[in-house]
Amino acid sequence: MPGARRDSVAFTVLVTVLVVLGALPVLLVIALSGAPSSLVLATALAALPVVPLVACYLWLDRYEPEPRALLLLGLLWGGFVATAAALLVQGVGGLVVGFTDVASLAVVAPLTEEATKGAFLVLLLWWRRAELDGVLDGIVYAGMVGVGFAFVENILYLAAAYDGTDGTGPGGTEALTTTFVLRCLFGPFAHPLFTAFTGIGVGLAVGARHGAVRVVAPVVGFSLAVVAHGVWNGSTLYGFGGFVVVYVVLMLPALVGLLVLAVWARSRESRMLAAALGDAASRGLVPATDIGWVVDLRARREARAFARRRGGAQAERAMRDYQQAAIELGFLHHRFLRGTPPPDFAARGQHYVARIGAVRPFIAFPGQVVPTR
């Protein structure tokens, strides 16, 4: 698939260059934001919610795990590219146009930050569309970008709170603790949640049958991201009481709704894969007896453990590669059955079938005869 490889290289090169360019001003801003000791403390505290948040998204991403390199690029994009672009636009715009504090907080910041975060999803849709199989993938990539953005932003806010340069008080441990509780304990999911609306729109666009939906869905998703972000930021203008009302009435229900949607989407993927691979098996593309070992997560883990016990790390890698190829074929075949196959459907399908055929003679599932090389 030469075209897909070219697009993949172009995407990787562009994102990597932008990450490097964005990292330079962001790291400079961080370095100038406080004393080294306060920056170290702020970085350590900002990092605390990152691991559990990333773990949650990886848990959701178990059926068809996205390439770890792409997920890492999403984190770096949020932390450096989106942050640098947002700082630049808001800073230059504030000097040239003269935004009021209210307009900057409730309108300019949501627009610029969601646009720069969502740009990563648009680039995926443009150059790496094969990696997007639906709403769940959109949520996962959006989450990674949001986590990266929140991490860097929290460093700046925590350092400013501790040094007393945020304009809210003299600083110190009390101010740092308050900021940490609000941003890292109560609201670490805020940026991933906002950008998830854009991710959902992009996920819907990938599998849409109609061209209008492919354009409208991402636009509507981005608009909802901006509105949610604006309401969240605007709530702080009305003091702690306004923040609590928005948090309880809007943010928590939105978060619960997103979690329910993500879990439902993952459950739907299981049924969809079973149906798609069942049809593929009837066409002789994959053995019907293997479907359960590919679709069911527990059975998938059992098959890998069985392969590892029988043949070591090499056998486990072969089993993992087989399962991954079968899953990719299932998603691709599902789009074929829905009447929305990608332009490179035939080439990708042949690639997955070839991978399945190359590995299958050398693996066995529990209860089957173990092949010898």
Side-chain angles (χ1 to χ4, degrees):
M1 298 182 286
R5 284 194 293 271
R6 284 195 300 270
D7 288 347
S8 176
V9 171
F11 174 88
T12 303
V13 170
L14 176 63
V15 172
T16 302
V17 169
L18 290 177
V19 165
V20 172
L21 292 177
L24 297 176
V26 169
L27 292 176
L28 178 61
V29 169
I30 291 176
L32 298 175
S33 297
S37 58
S38 63
L39 289 176
V40 170
L41 179 59
T43 302
L45 292 175
L48 289 179
V50 170
V51 173
L53 284 173
V54 170
C56 287
Y57 284 108
L58 294 180
W59 178 79
L60 287 173
D61 188 40
R62 289 188 297 168
Y63 264 113
E64 189 242 344
E66 299 305 311
R68 293 297 184 256
L70 277 183
L71 296 179
L72 177 60
L73 284 177
L75 280 169
L76 294 174
W77 180 280
F80 293 129
V81 181
T83 304
L87 288 173
L88 177 64
V89 172
Q90 293 173 42
V92 173
L95 292 174
V96 175
V97 181
F99 302 123
T100 65
D101 291 342
V102 173
S104 179
L105 185 67
V107 179
V108 179
L111 274 171
T112 56
E113 291 175 12
E114 293 311 316
T116 51
K117 288 188 291 179
F120 183 80
L121 297 164
V122 174
L123 289 175
L124 278 176
L125 188 62
W126 185 14
W127 272 330
R128 298 296 297 272
R129 185 184 294 260
E131 303 298 342
L132 294 168
D133 292 305
V135 168
L136 188 59
D137 285 352
I139 292 174
V140 169
Y141 280 113
M144 291 296 167
V145 175
V147 169
F149 187 94
F151 171 61
V152 173
E153 186 181 62
N154 285 342
I155 294 175
L156 297 173
Y157 273 94
L158 290 166
Y162 186 72
D163 292 333
T165 57
D166 59 351
T168 61
T173 303
E174 184 177 350
L176 176 68
T177 302
T178 300
T179 302
F180 173 76
V181 170
L182 291 177
R183 297 191 65 86
C184 299
L185 296 185
F186 280 92
F189 59 85
H191 278 290
L193 174 62
F194 304 146
T195 313
F197 289 108
T198 304
I200 292 170
V202 168
L204 291 173
V206 170
R209 290 189 175 96
H210 304 290
V213 176
R214 295 171 192 155
V215 176
V216 172
V219 172
V220 171
F222 168 72
S223 301
L224 291 174
V226 172
V227 170
H229 196 156
V231 171
W232 173 260
N233 282 7
S235 68
T236 61
L237 298 172
Y238 300 96
F240 187 71
F243 172 82
V244 170
V245 169
V246 170
Y247 187 85
V248 173
V249 175
L250 293 178
M251 291 298 290
L252 284 183
L255 176 63
V256 172
L258 176 64
L259 292 175
V260 170
L261 174 63
V263 172
W264 172 83
R266 201 181 74 167
S267 162
R268 179 179 174 273
E269 283 189 352
S270 173
R271 298 190 297 271
M272 177 270 290
L273 280 172
L277 287 174
D279 186 84
S282 69
R283 301 169 188 261
L285 302 178
V286 64
T289 54
D290 296 354
I291 294 175
W293 298 106
V294 171
V295 172
D296 184 81
L297 288 174
R298 179 177 297 179
R300 195 189 299 182
R301 289 193 299 270
E302 291 177 1
R304 292 174 182 175
F306 176 78
R308 184 172 58 252
R309 289 194 303 271
R310 296 288 184 174
Q314 184 178 3
E316 183 183 9
R317 283 194 299 270
M319 177 65 73
R320 189 181 297 273
D321 186 60
Y322 176 80
Q323 291 174 333
Q324 185 67 26
I327 292 167
E328 296 281 5
L329 179 65
F331 276 105
L332 184 66
H333 198 67
H334 169 70
R335 293 184 62 182
F336 166 74
L337 295 176
R338 289 188 76 248
T340 59
D344 59 347
F345 165 77
R348 285 172 58 190
Q350 291 171 3
H351 172 69
Y352 296 141
V353 170
R355 281 175 59 188
I356 290 171
V359 177
R360 186 61 183 89
F362 303 105
I363 65 170
F365 296 101
Q368 298 178 354
V369 177
V370 179
T372 57
R373 292 183 180 273

